[in-house]
Amino acid sequence: HILMNSMKMWMLHFIEKRGFWGIFLLSAYPNAAFDLCGICCGHFMMPFSEFFGATLLGKGLVKTAGQTAFFVALFRKHSREGILAWLESAGLGASIMHAVRRKIDESIASFQRDVTSRKRASWWSGVTENMSLGAPWRRPPTLRRLLEAIRATTPQSPWQLIVLTMILYFVKNVVEQIARAEHEVETKERVEKAKAE
């Protein structure tokens, strides 16, 4: 309880003092408490563009690139063996590293089996194949390419469609709020201009 309160107070002070760069740093690593950062920024009336810009750069560039590099290194056998050899030479016991190596190899093999055994067609492919456009081999090449492009860019499951819908709804609301704020500024300027005349 005391630890959580001290962490919250530290985060409040850090965001208030550092602003944009504080949000950038807090969003640049896997941070389960990042929602608290958003609440703090709202409390301090940080402009949305500043918060969004710092979050976009931190999560979109730094965190994503770091996670990608980590997983590429983990899945590439050469780099994985190098990292594990370095950890072993750094003082971790050979028996511990052998168990870690075996667990990682088993997990990767299980993941790869799961990926290759999954049906490649998405739930959307059944919809596009059953359209009343005739058999696939009778369709014009441009229509076939168009349907393949649609199939490749659509969500692969109903859950992804739900998430995409939620994201689009959020973007719509953000645009509406920005437009509303701009309208209020313009209205205020017109009223002040009319009073001055």
Side-chain angles (χ1 to χ4, degrees), residues 37-108:
C37 296
I39 293 168
C40 293
C41 290
H43 173 75
F44 294 129
M45 301 297 285
M46 178 181 274
F48 175 76
S49 58
E50 185 176 341
F51 172 76
F52 185 74
T55 304
L56 180 69
L57 291 174
K59 285 191 179 292
L61 294 178
V62 177
K63 180 181 167 193
T64 304
Q67 287 177 329
T68 301
F70 172 78
F71 284 109
V72 166
L74 183 65
F75 277 84
R76 279 187 62 225
K77 187 168 182 123
H78 179 70
S79 58
R80 179 175 65 242
E81 291 299 325
I83 292 168
L84 293 174
W86 178 80
L87 287 172
E88 191 173 339
S89 70
L92 294 174
S95 60
I96 293 172
M97 291 313 300
H98 179 70
V100 168
R101 183 177 281 117
R102 189 178 71 242
K103 182 65 178 163
I104 289 174
D105 289 342
E106 287 172 3
S107 297
I108 290 172

Side-chain angles (χ1 to χ4, degrees), residues 119-132:
K119 184 179 173 187
R120 297 203 182 269
S122 69
W123 66 276
W124 182 255
S125 65
V127 174
T128 56
E129 291 296 0
N130 294 327
M131 293 174 129
S132 58

